[in-house]
Amino acid sequence: EAGVAQSPRYKIIEKRQSVAFWCNPISGHATLYWYQQILGQGPKLLIQFQNNGVVDDSQLPKDRFSAERLKGVDSTLKIQPAKLEDSAVYLCASSLERGNEQFFGPGTRLTVL
Amino acid sequence: AQSVTQLGSHVSVSEGALVLLRCNYSSSVPPYLFWYVQYPNQGLQLLLKYTSAATLVKGINGFEAEFKKSETSFHLTKPSAHMSDAAEYFCAVSSYNQGGKLIFGQGTELSVKP
């Protein structure tokens, strides 16, 4: 069974630029999560989807971050414009249903200069 | 609100020694508790989880953890450390009414000396 796929693995941009990350969850998984992991900290949930609907986006900085999962399968997370403090690893995870075990992708490491 | 505190950001043990990584949680509802491991440049992998069944939980790679409600703890142990155990370990809490949302501790980096 293929795992959670993420791309790109690494991205370097300058502040005020835009960036997008892509996630393809495990086939059949209804729930998809985006986490932000700042160096030296544990992951923090940014947004949670159930199929193509948003369940929880309370921690998403909506003035600059957006995410979508239009067909209930893969998802895109966008930052526009990026700030220095957005430098982090962005992890995507999926689970069969809400509350089930989450499987994590390898993450995208973003560096904002 | 739920929270997790991991005591010690860095733990160093000798190969063959006991591994003990500490985790305390705060939750106003019955918690689900997890330990994840993260190797460099990789995602998180589930080691074990507690979901209100047996209080002593056995996981992969010889790790286990004991849920102690009176101490609000969920410490991770392994009797004998191996070099391959060197990684970052995260404790996390969730609950049924959180819909699967995980709240992580800040992590503990485990080093294993030969």
Side-chain angles (χ1 to χ4, degrees):
Chain A
E1 169 180 271
V4 177
Q6 291 188 246
S7 67
R9 291 294 312 277
Y10 305 92
K11 189 74 176 179
I12 300 174
I13 62 173
E14 295 190 349
K15 60 183 179 182
R16 292 188 289 272
Q17 285 187 322
S18 301
V19 65
F21 313 128
W22 175 81
C23 171
N24 192 24
I26 293 173
S27 178
H29 280 197
T31 312
L32 185 147
Y33 311 79
W34 282 103
Y35 290 87
Q36 180 192 56
Q37 185 179 15
I38 293 172
L39 186 65
Q41 300 181 19
K44 181 185 77 172
L45 180 71
L46 291 175
I47 189 167
Q48 176 183 348
F49 291 94
Q50 180 68 17
N51 296 308
N52 61 350
V54 175
V55 173
D56 184 345
D57 64 355
S58 58
Q59 301 271 59
L60 187 73
K62 298 181 187 63
D63 58 335
R64 297 185 300 106
F65 286 65
S66 64
E68 59 185 15
R69 193 185 184 200
L70 293 175
K71 297 182 180 179
V73 181
D74 56 348
S75 176
T76 303
L77 176 70
K78 297 179 181 177
I79 308 176
Q80 179 180 11
K83 293 185 175 182
L84 296 177
E85 58 261 35
D86 298 332
S87 294
V89 176
Y90 291 85
L91 295 164
C92 180
S94 70
S95 64
L96 198 59
E97 286 295 340
R98 293 170 64 181
N100 290 123
E101 177 182 348
Q102 295 182 30
F103 294 85
F104 284 80
T108 296
R109 182 178 297 275
L110 173 67
T111 302
V112 183
L113 303 176
Chain B
Q2 296 180 311
S3 65
V4 172
T5 300
Q6 292 184 240
L7 299 176
S9 57
H10 297 273
V11 170
S12 181
V13 300
S14 297
E15 191 172 20
L18 172 71
V19 175
L20 171 60
L21 304 182
R22 300 178 186 273
C23 172
N24 287 90
Y25 70 91
S26 172
S27 180
S28 58
V29 296
Y32 298 158
L33 294 160
F34 306 81
W35 275 100
Y36 283 85
V37 61
Q38 186 176 35
Y39 298 100
N41 299 315
Q42 295 187 27
L44 279 73
Q45 180 183 9
L46 181 66
L47 276 178
L48 49 81
K49 62 182 178 182
Y50 166 78
T51 55
S52 76
T55 57
L56 182 62
V57 182
K58 295 187 182 299
I60 61 172
N61 301 339
F63 285 93
E64 64 182 36
E66 186 172 8
F67 172 68
K68 292 186 177 181
K69 184 178 179 180
S70 61
E71 299 177 8
T72 61
S73 68
F74 191 58
H75 301 329
L76 182 71
T77 61
K78 182 174 181 178
S80 177
H82 192 272
M83 296 296 292
S84 61
D85 294 327
E88 187 91 19
Y89 291 80
F90 293 94
C91 183
V93 64
S94 183
S95 62
Y96 178 78
N97 63 1
Q98 290 289 317
K101 174 182 177 179
L102 291 170
I103 296 173
F104 287 88
Q106 76 275 23
T108 297
E109 183 179 0
L110 176 66
S111 300
V112 182
K113 299 174 291 186

